């Protein structure tokens, strides 16, 4: 029966469940519990049976949902309803904990596994329903035994915390304090494969979410239930452990912890300071302090990991502070563990991290840091009250600051509107710490969020307050220090560390104006007022943000002006660092300066930045002087006073400092301007001299440092030579000379001995070792000759030279490095002495010395020390010369001992090398022998040449004989049979090249004998035969054979070719030096034959195309020498007549040269100059066939065309070409006619204004100076020196060319002109007509509409400048054509800067042809309908023709020209009228002197009229001011000088570099008129009270005249716009968008203006309407709306003009006094100004606005797009006008 009943109940339950399932889809969740109660009451079903039936149905639903894989809204509703029904049934008394556990495993956990399919709301709803049941049934022990361990285990597995994968229930989670039930173990055992395996476990986010919900529910029930309280403590224990581990894991795990676990844990600790937990029978205390410290440790670790981790750490801190702010009152604050309450604000690391975050490059990090700072300070927007601090509130109106400018008052109002009013009112009584923090936060937020003018308004007002009140004990740092800072020094350190945050953010602001303002504010502080507190500015700030800002070009607009390489910012930074370093001790300042100079190693500095760094280094060194020292005139410390600060000098730090100073000097090398480099080196040397005694620095470091200084600064005559000497010899010649200083001098003198005797690690040496030794000797020799002042100091060195020189042959077979080092020392000394000789030549005198052969003139330095050095070195070198010759003979045996080389096997390391200058394919021992022989030959040649040059009274036969034999042996050597022999033979040529060069450069009869003897060995002499032929041909044949044997590697053949051309250059220069020295061998008439030189020439030309970089110069010089030999006529030839060179040879030369030039990547000065002087040789240039052959370009013209075409891309090429070509054209005027096109190109050429590398090469490179000096040039060194390195030089040289030709024609006279002068005259006419044709008909030059400073403007100026110079070539046969072109050009529209040259040219023509005045000029002046611009020009021309005419025609021109000028005094064009008044006054003053009123002589009517007119013009106030503004201009103008190159080009102004164009007279008039009639509003109101502006009526008349002026209108709108304005029925509103630069915004505004029919749209540049993007957005609106061009710099002037026309000037901007748009009534005539996209309207524009309007905003974002804002404002205007 019972079974039957159960079946019936089951059937009934099934029917009910089916019905309920359908009902759940229709009923709301709140209706389910009542429905279930009704069912239970009306049926016999028990709650448990209904519960289990619904639970089975839920399991089926879950299984079906998993099978389908999709969940729709019906599924969500059904799940929620079933869970709600089950939870309601669980609350019925009949159900027990078994039902709850069943629901957990069959319902809750499976549903949670489906959490990714649910939305968060449904998930929370299910969880809340379940935990409500737990709370109501007090079933916490069920969760404690089942759910919590399950999810803790799931978190542990998913996060990798639990590594042991055993699933034994007793080991689920080792740190868990929960007891695991046997039921749970059984359930897990049944379902462990599905439920607890790692791959099926819950995700960390879901597990954390559920655990947080459990803890939150337990916290709510803890007060009412002891079981819940115990459960809460246990769960919190586990979650705290899990939290600390998860925070240090992946980003996802940290996010889950921060989002789910930490909030509920913090919530738990808000009400409880600690929890007691029993773990394995032991009681533990979980304290709030312990957990907070653990969290802080996690945050500190996260801060150090990366940017993402830093963000999470800030999120943790923000969350912590949101629960435990400084105003929170803790409950149960008595700590169970007895520990002090943890306060994170006392952690210094927290404040450091906030500081780092505030200056982070990432904006989000900065915002998080700012939020945390506000929260910590209890100053966030949600909490403005401060504990224990009463805030002062000011009531009533504040009158504002008095005695300040309008700009300052506006800034005050803005600051007031930003919430600073209470700070302003509290200034007198002092700002407390919290008010100071408010100021700090305000400034930081200004920099982060607001535009330029708001930053300016807040900054200057607040930064001074922060510093002013930081000196008090209640400063803003004291509010956070909490006893951390014990003394005032530490407090100041903290104050400036916070202020440096503001400065750093300001220095890196996006807006350059803000960056400049912050920098000026920082440097403008009176640091001296703060005394030692300036030392508290963080060093990291100085070395980082401050120096980075100093490298910002925006701070150095005045840098380099007038050659001054400094700026106000650099000077301010230097003053600050001087003050800063003055409070550092010796160790600190050395370390600081080392760090400061090290920036040159880590950062790339601009020119201004590097100069700023050098200035700061020098200033820091000056400020670092501990003792008061009196600087000398050159800025260096007096020697005697410096000694007292050197006793405790830190040697190691000084060495490092000097080492980093080298990097600063090295960095200056990339900026090639010598004046700039001098300034940098001067500053660095000043710092070194102030801080580092030279005697305390290791010699090696000292030598390296001085070698970094440019030679031209330290050699004789150098600007830093004296300073370096003073530093090195500091106190040496005084009574206070220290032992260390004596040791330095002794160390320098003793260097040669240590250098030679220092044992080398290996007996063998190679090229790298040799190079290192040469550098070492060069550095030492340079310093040695700086410090040597007395004769006895040279004795040790000379003694060492004699001792080693006499014994050098004894060391040939052992210690091979000793002779090599000795020879290196000798060569280094000779090289240094030669450099000293060349440097002192500019300052030297010619000294005549007696010799056996007569009187010898020798260039000797005027300085006694240098003369002594040269004299004392000569004798020892002569003494050892014989030993050097013997040593060289022994060493050179290696070149002929082929037997020793046959069996040489190259090591594997050498066999694999490709070759190169320092990669000889020889064994180590053979390399050593070859290098030793090479050095010995070079030493013998250099010593003998140098001694022979200075002492002609000694015979050097042995040395010269050795060199001659070595030459013969080298060129007569047999063919090589192996690679080793070839390498050795190459080394012989390597030794021969410098030897030949040394001998030839010091040519003498003995040298000539050397070559003669060598020729005799090769071929017996024949009387009259060219005796050098055999020498040169044998040399060429031998070296070509060596190249052809193919034993040498490719790169080694290139090296051999280089030595070939060097030797050949020396051989070809023998005749040159012989003829120059008037040396000729007896009986010989010639050196070379024509055939030999022709073969050499052909060989060079053939190889020129593929010449290496090192071979280019010797090859080109050899070509030049060969051409000079051809031209000299001193070549032997068996042909009765020889033409020298033919065109085919030159064609091959120009083709090869052009290929060489085109393939050269580096445009060095020396090769370019050598190419020009070689190819365009004067001997070739005079031949007409070289320029033109049968109306086709000749070879030279072809080359010039190519060169100038390429030169437009290479400024230095075209400048050097202009220098050389104009010199050639001046020497050969007949050739000019072939180059009219090229002359025009040079005239119109313009490129880079300055080439620093060019000037550096001329300064530092001897080859460059030599080659440039050999170029043909115009005899005008002043202009050449001034302009050679500017873009102007090309046309300056052409102008000087024609000026010199015209002057020559004047001096010769027409009767004495030869063909050259006649050709020059014709060429000048031809070039003039060509230029006139271009300015009349060229597409660009003939344009009338063009922009100022545009390319067309520049080209017009260049053309007319040259036409002015060519005015001297106008003759009777062309004057008609010239005058026609001139008048046509004057009638055309041109800018005043161009017209002044037309006027000058016209004046020159009329002064030269007086008859044309009446014929042409008078009728033109009577045409009063002419364009005013043209009429003004003709008035100026006529006036100057009268003033500057000769005595013969002066009064005739006055009678003809003055009558038609006078009516223009009444012209309605005020500019023409004013201009005419000035000129007429000048004419009347010259021709009509003041009359004597007492004279009774009858005065004609016209004279009386002119007298009264003169008096009126002289006394009229307007005319007086106009003349005063042009004072000096009219009197200084001279048309005769203005057509000369000096008059045109020398008048340039450094500040306004624009084609050397002076301000024209008409521009002066226009500037005066426009300036004087433009008044600000307050100036007009104060006009009557000003003594200067007392005559208000005068200015009213000027204002009336300006309304008639069309010139200003032409700048703002074209005639077509004016007509459109008149025709269109448009609204009277103009939008000014000149400050906007984004094209989409401009196009959108144009479209909006057209839609609402605005009067016009003002933009900065009307070219924007041609942009495709603009046209795409505007959809042709630009064709219908007037678009006006108003550049940014003219906006203010435009607005003032519109204000005078009756317009109201409005600005759309958020300011303190802005009026909401819906409350403002627009005037009918309105100009609306729109600001920049980010910064808004500049302050200077806001000052002249009548009102500011703003669009009310309700959202969070603070501003609208500028186009949208403009459209809204324009619609509101339209709406009001329509209504």
């Amino acid at each position: 029966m019972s079974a039957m009943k159960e079946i019936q109940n089951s059937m009934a339950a099934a029917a009910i469940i089916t019905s309920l399932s359908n009902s759940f889809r229709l009923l709301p969740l709140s209706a389910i519990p009542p429905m279930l109660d009704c069912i239970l009451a009306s049926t016999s079903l028990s709650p448990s049976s209904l519960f289990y039936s619904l639970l089975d149905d839920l399991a089926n639903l879950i299984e079906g949902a998993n099978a389908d894989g999709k969940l729709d809204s019906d599924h969500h509703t059904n799940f929620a309803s079933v869970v709600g029904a089950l939870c309601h049934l669980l609350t019925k008394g009949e159900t027990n904990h078994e039902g709850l556990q069943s629901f957990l495993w069959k319902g809750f956990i499976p549903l949670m596994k489906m959490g990714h399919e649910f939305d968060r709301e449904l998930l929370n709803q299910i969880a809340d329903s379940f935990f409500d049941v737990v709370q109501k049934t007090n079933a916490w022990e069920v969760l404690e035994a089942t759910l919590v361990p399950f999810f803790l285990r799931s978190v542990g597995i998913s996060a990798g915390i639990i590594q042991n994968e055993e699933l034994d229930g007793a080991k689920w989670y080792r740190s868990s304090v929960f007891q695991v039930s046997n039921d749970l173990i059984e359930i897990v055992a049944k379902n462990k494969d599905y439920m607890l395996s790692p791959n099926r476990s819950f995700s960390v986010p879901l597990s954390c979410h559920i655990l947080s919900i459990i803890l939150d529910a337990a916290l709510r029930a803890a007060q009412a239930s002891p079981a819940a309280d115990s459960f809460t403590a246990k769960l919190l224990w586990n979650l705290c452990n899990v939290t600390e581990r998860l925070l240090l894991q992946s980003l996802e795990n940290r996010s889950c912890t921060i989002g789910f676990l930490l909030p509920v844990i913090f919530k738990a600790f808000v009400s409880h300071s600690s929890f007691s937990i029993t773990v394995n029978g032991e009681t533990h205390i979980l304290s709030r302090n312990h957990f907070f410290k653990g969290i802080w440790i996690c945050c500190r670790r996260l801060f150090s990991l990366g940017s993402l981790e830093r963000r999470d750490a800030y999120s943790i801190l923000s969350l912590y502070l949101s629960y435990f702010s400084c105003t929170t009152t803790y409950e149960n604050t008595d700590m169970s563990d007895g520990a002090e309450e943890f306060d994170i604000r006392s952690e210094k690391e927290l404040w450091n991290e906030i500081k780092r975050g505030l200056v982070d490059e990432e904006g989000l990090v900065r915002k998080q840091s700012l939020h945390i700072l506000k929260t910590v300070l209890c100053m966030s927007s949600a909490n403005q009250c401060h504990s224990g601090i009463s805030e002062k509130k000011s009531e009533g109106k504040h009158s504002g600051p008095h005695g300040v400018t309008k700009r300052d008052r506006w800034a005050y109002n803005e600051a007031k509107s930003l919430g600073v009013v209470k700070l302003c009112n509290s200034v007198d009584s002092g700002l407390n710490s919290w008010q100071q923090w408010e100021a700090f936060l305000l400034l930081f937020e200004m920099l982060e969020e607001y535009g330029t003018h708001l930053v300016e308004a807040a900054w200057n007002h607040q930064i001074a307050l922060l510093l002013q009140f930081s000196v008090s004990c209640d400063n803003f740092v004291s509010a956070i220090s909490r006893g951390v800072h014990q003394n005032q020094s530490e407090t100041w350190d903290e104050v400036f560390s916070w202020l440096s945050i503001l400065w750093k953010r300001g220095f890196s602001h996006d807006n350059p104006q803000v960056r400049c303002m912050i920098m000026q504010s920082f440097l403008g502080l009176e640091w001296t007022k703060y005394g030692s507190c300036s030392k508290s500015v963080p060093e990291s700030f100085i070395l980082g943000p401050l120096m980075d800002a100093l490298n910002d070009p925006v701070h150095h607009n005045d840098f380099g002006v007038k050659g001054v390489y400094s700026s106000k910012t650099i000077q301010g930074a230097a003053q600050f660092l001087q003050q800063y370093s003055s409070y550092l001790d010796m160790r600190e300042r050395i370390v600081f300066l080392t760090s400061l100079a090290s920036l040159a190693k880590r950062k790339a500095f601009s020119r201004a930045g590097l100069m700023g760094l050098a200035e700061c280094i020098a200033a820091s060194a000056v400020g670092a002087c501990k003792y008061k020292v009196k600087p000398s005139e050159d800025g260096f410390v007096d020697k005697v006073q410096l000694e007292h600060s050197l006793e405790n000098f830190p040697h190691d730090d000084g060495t490092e400092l000097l080492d980093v100073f080298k990097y600063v000097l090295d960095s200056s090398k990339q900026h090639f301007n010598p004046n700039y480099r001098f300034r940098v080196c001067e500053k660095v040397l000043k710092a070194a001299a102030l801080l580092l005694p030279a005697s305390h620095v290791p010699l090696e470091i000292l030598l390296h440092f001085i070698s970094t200084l440019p030679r031209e600064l330290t050699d004789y005559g150098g600007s830093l030579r004296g300073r370096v000497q003073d530093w090195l010899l500091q106190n040496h010649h005084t009574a206070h000379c220290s032992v260390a200083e004596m040791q330095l001098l002794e160390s320098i003198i003793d260097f040669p001995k240590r250098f030679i005797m220092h044992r080398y690690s290996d007996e063998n040496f190679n090229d790298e070792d040799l190079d290192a030794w040469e550098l070492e000797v060069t550095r030492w020799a340079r310093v040695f000759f700086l410090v040597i002042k007395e004769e006895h100091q040279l004795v040790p060195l000379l003694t060492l030279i004699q001792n080693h020189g006499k014994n050098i042959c004894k060391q040939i077979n052992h210690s091979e490095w000793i002779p090599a080092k000795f020879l290196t020392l000798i060569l280094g000394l000779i090289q240094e002495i030669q450099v000293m000789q060349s440097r002192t030549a500019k300052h030297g005198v010619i000294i005549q010395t007696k010799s056996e052969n007569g009187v010898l003139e020798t260039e000797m330095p005027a300085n006694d020390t240098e003369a002594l050095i040269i004299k004392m070195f000569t004798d020892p070198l002569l003494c050892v010369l014989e030993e050097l010759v013997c040593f060289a003979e022994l060493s050179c045996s290696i070149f002929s001992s082929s037997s020793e080389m046959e069996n040489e096997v190259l090591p594997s390391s050498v066999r694999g090398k490709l070759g190169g200058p320092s990669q000889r394919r020889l064994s180590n021992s053979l390399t050593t022998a070859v290098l030793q022989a090479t050095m010995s030959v070079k030493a013998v040649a250099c010593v003998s040449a140098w001694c022979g040059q200075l002492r002609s009274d000694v015979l050097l036969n042995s040395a010269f004989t050795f060199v001659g034999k070595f030459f013969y042996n080298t060129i007569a050597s047999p063919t090589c049979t192996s690679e080793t022999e070839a390498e050795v033979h190459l080394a012989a040529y390597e030794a021969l090249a410098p030897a030949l060069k040394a001998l030839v450069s010091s040519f003498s009869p003995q040298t000539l004998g050397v070559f003669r003897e060598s020729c005799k060995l090769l071929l017996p002499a024949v009387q009259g035969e060219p005796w050098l032929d055999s020498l040169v041909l044998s040399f060429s044949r031998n070296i070509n054979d060596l190249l052809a044997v193919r034993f040498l590697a490719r790169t080694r053949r290139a090296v051999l070719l280089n030595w070939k051309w060097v030797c050949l250059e020396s051989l070809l220069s023998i005749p040159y030096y012989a003829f120059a020295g008037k040396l000729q061998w007896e009986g010989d008439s010639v050196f070379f034959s024509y055939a030999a030189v022709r073969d050499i020439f052909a060989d060079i030309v053939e190889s020129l195309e593929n010449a290496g970089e090192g071979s280019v110069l010797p090859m080109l010089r050899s070509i030049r020498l060969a051409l000079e030999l051809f031209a000299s006529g001193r070549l032997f030839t068996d042909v009765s007549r020889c033409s020298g060179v033919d065109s085919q040879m030159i064609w091959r030369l120009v083709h090869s040269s052009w290929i060489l030039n085109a393939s050269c990547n580096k445009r060095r000065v020396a090769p370019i100059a050598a190419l020009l002087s070689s190819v365009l040789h004067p001997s070739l240039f005079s031949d007409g066939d070289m320029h033109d052959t049968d109306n086709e370009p000749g070879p030279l013209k072809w080359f010039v065309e190519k060169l100038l075409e390429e030169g437009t891309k290479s400024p230095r090429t075209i400048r050097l070409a202009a220098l050389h070509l104009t010199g050639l054209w001046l020497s050969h005027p007949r050739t000019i006619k072939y180059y009219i096109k090229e002359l025009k190109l040079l005239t119109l050429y313009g490129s880079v204004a300055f080439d620093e590398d060019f000037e550096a090469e001329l300064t530092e490179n001897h080859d460059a100076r030599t080659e440039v000096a050999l170029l043909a040039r115009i005899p005008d060194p002043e202009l050449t020196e001034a302009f050679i390195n500017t873009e102007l030089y090309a046309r300056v040289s052409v102008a000087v060319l024609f000026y010199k030709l015209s002057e020559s024609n004047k001096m010769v006279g027409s009767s004495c002109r030869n063909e050259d002068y006649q050709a020059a005259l014709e060429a000048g006419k031809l070039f003039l007509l060509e230029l006139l044709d271009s300015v009349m008909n060229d597409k660009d030059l003939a344009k009338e509409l063009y922009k100022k400073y545009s390319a067309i403007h520049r080209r017009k100026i260049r053309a007319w400048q040259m036409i002015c110079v060519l005015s001297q070539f106008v003759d009777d046969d062309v004057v008609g054509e010239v005058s026609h072109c001139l008048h046509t050009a004057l009638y055309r529209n041109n800018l005043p800067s161009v017209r002044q040259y037309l006027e000058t040219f016209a004046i020159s023509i009329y002064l030269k042809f007086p008859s044309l005045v009446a014929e042409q000029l008078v009728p033109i002046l009577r045409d009063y309908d002419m364009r005013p611009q043209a009429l003004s020009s003709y008035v100026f021309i006529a006036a100057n023709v009268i003033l500057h005419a000769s005595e013969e025609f002066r009064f005739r021109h006055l009678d003809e020209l003055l009558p038609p000028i006078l009516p223009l005094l009444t012209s309605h064009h005020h500019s023409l009228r004013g201009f005419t008044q000035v000129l007429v006054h000048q004419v009347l003053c010259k021709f009509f002197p003041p009359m004597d009123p007492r004279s009774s002589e009858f005065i004609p009517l016209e004279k009386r009229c002119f007298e009264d007119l003169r008096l009126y013009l002289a006394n009229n106030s307007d005319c007086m001011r106009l003349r005063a503004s042009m004072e000096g201009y009219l009197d200084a103008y001279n048309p005769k000088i203005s057509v000369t190159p000096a008059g045109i080009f020398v008048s340039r102004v450094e500040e306004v570099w624009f084609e050397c164009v002076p301000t024209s007279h008409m521009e002066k008039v226009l500037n005066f008129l426009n300036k004087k009639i433009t008044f600000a509003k307050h100036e007009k109101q104060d006009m009557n009270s000003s003594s200067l502006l007392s005559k208000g009526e005068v200015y009213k008349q000027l204002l009336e005249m300006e309304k008639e002026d069309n010139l200003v209108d032409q700048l703002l709108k074209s005639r077509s716009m004016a007509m459109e304005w008149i025709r269109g029925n448009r609204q009277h509103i103009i939008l000014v968008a000149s400050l906007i630069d984004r094209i989409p915004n401009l196009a959108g505004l144009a479209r909006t203006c057209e839609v609402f029919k605005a009067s016009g749209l003002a933009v900065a540049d009307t070219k924007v309407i041609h942009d495709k993007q603009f046209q795409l957005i505007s959809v042709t609106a630009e064709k219908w709306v007037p678009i006006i061009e108003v550049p940014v710099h003219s906006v203010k002037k435009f607005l003032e003009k519109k204000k005078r026309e009756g317009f109201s000037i409005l600005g759309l901007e958020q300011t303190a006094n802005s009026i909401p748009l819906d409350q403002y009534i627009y005037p009918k005539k309105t100009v609306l100004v729109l600001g920049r996209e980010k910064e808004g309207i500049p302050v200077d524009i806001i000052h002249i606005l009548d009102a500011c309007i703003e669009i009310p905003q309700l959202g969070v974002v603070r501003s609208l797009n500028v186009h949208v804002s403009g459209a809204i404002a324009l619609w509101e205007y339209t709406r009001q006008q329509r209504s």
Side-chain angles (χ1 to χ4, degrees), residues 488-686:
Q488 186 64 27
S489 175
E490 293 181 354
T491 301
W492 272 110
D493 289 346
E494 193 67 14
V495 167
F496 280 106
S497 71
W498 285 101
L499 292 180
S500 65
I501 292 173
L502 298 176
W503 287 322
K504 181 176 181 179
R505 287 298 307 137
F507 292 160
S508 59
H509 199 275
D510 293 337
N511 191 319
Q513 295 180 5
V514 172
R515 298 203 299 272
C516 289
M517 189 265 294
I518 302 298
M519 176 62 81
Q520 292 169 5
S521 172
F522 173 78
L523 299 179
L525 294 174
E526 298 181 16
W527 289 103
T528 54
K529 184 174 68 176
Y530 300 102
S532 61
C533 297
S534 59
K535 177 186 174 183
S536 299
V537 177
E539 181 178 317
S540 59
F541 165 75
I542 297 174
L543 299 177
L546 179 60
M547 298 311 298
D548 289 340
L550 202 60
N551 198 29
D552 188 350
V554 75
H555 300 299
H556 309 288
N557 292 331
D558 52 342
F559 185 84
V561 175
K562 292 186 177 180
V564 178
Y565 294 101
S566 185
S567 65
K568 294 180 181 178
T569 302
I570 292 176
Q571 294 170 1
Q575 291 174 1
F576 163 72
L577 282 176
Q578 182 174 344
Q579 173 75 8
Y580 173 82
S581 61
S582 64
Y583 295 98
L584 302 176
D585 59 33
M586 173 66 80
R587 172 74 62 177
E588 289 174 337
R589 62 178 175 254
I590 294 295
V591 172
F592 170 73
L593 272 168
T594 302
S595 302
L596 184 63
S598 298
L599 295 176
K601 298 168 60 176
R602 302 194 300 269
K603 299 179 181 179
F605 280 90
S606 63
R607 293 183 67 200
L610 185 64
M611 181 59 72
L613 178 63
E615 289 273 10
C616 290
I617 290 172
S620 300
V622 171
C625 291
K626 185 175 180 180
Y627 300 94
K628 291 185 178 181
V629 294
K630 181 180 180 181
S632 60
E633 294 181 357
D634 57 2
F636 283 76
V637 177
D638 184 75
K639 305 171 190 175
V640 177
Q641 293 176 337
L642 185 63
E643 62 177 354
H644 304 290
S645 63
L646 304 178
E647 297 176 359
N648 301 316
F649 182 78
H651 298 274
D652 294 338
D653 292 343
T655 300
E656 184 181 358
L657 178 60
L658 203 61
D659 193 49
V660 296
F661 277 175
K662 290 192 306 180
Y663 287 96
V664 182
L665 297 177
D666 283 332
S667 299
S668 70
K669 291 181 180 178
Q670 60 184 317
H671 307 290
F672 296 104
N673 185 283
N675 295 328
Y676 173 87
R677 291 188 63 188
F678 163 72
R679 290 287 297 166
V680 174
C681 295
E682 180 189 35
K683 296 302 177 182
V684 175
L685 182 62
K686 178 180 180 180

Side-chain angles (χ1 to χ4, degrees), residues 1170-1181:
L1171 182 73
L1172 290 167
S1173 61
S1174 301
V1175 180
L1176 300 177
H1177 197 272
S1179 63
L1180 302 176
F1181 212 79

Side-chain angles (χ1 to χ4, degrees), residues 954-973:
V954 297
L955 297 177
L956 305 171
N957 293 339
S958 60
F960 286 131
T961 301
F962 163 74
V963 176
K965 288 182 179 180
F966 177 73
F967 185 21
Y968 168 75
N969 293 332
T970 301
I971 64 176
S973 58

Side-chain angles (χ1 to χ4, degrees), residues 895 898 901 970 973-986 989 1038-1039 1041-1048 1056:
F895 296 128
S898 58
M901 297 181 285
T970 301
S973 58
T975 305
C976 301
T977 59
S978 66
E979 183 182 18
T980 302
E981 287 187 26
E983 279 285 340
V984 173
H985 201 179
L986 187 154
Y989 279 107
N1038 186 271
I1039 203 168
D1041 290 342
L1042 182 57
L1043 288 167
V1045 294
R1046 298 182 180 276
F1047 286 118
L1048 292 174
L1056 180 58

Side-chain angles (χ1 to χ4, degrees), residues 814-825:
H814 61 280
S815 301
E816 295 181 348
W817 45 271
I818 293 180
K821 284 191 170 185
F822 175 70
L823 294 176
T824 303
L825 180 68

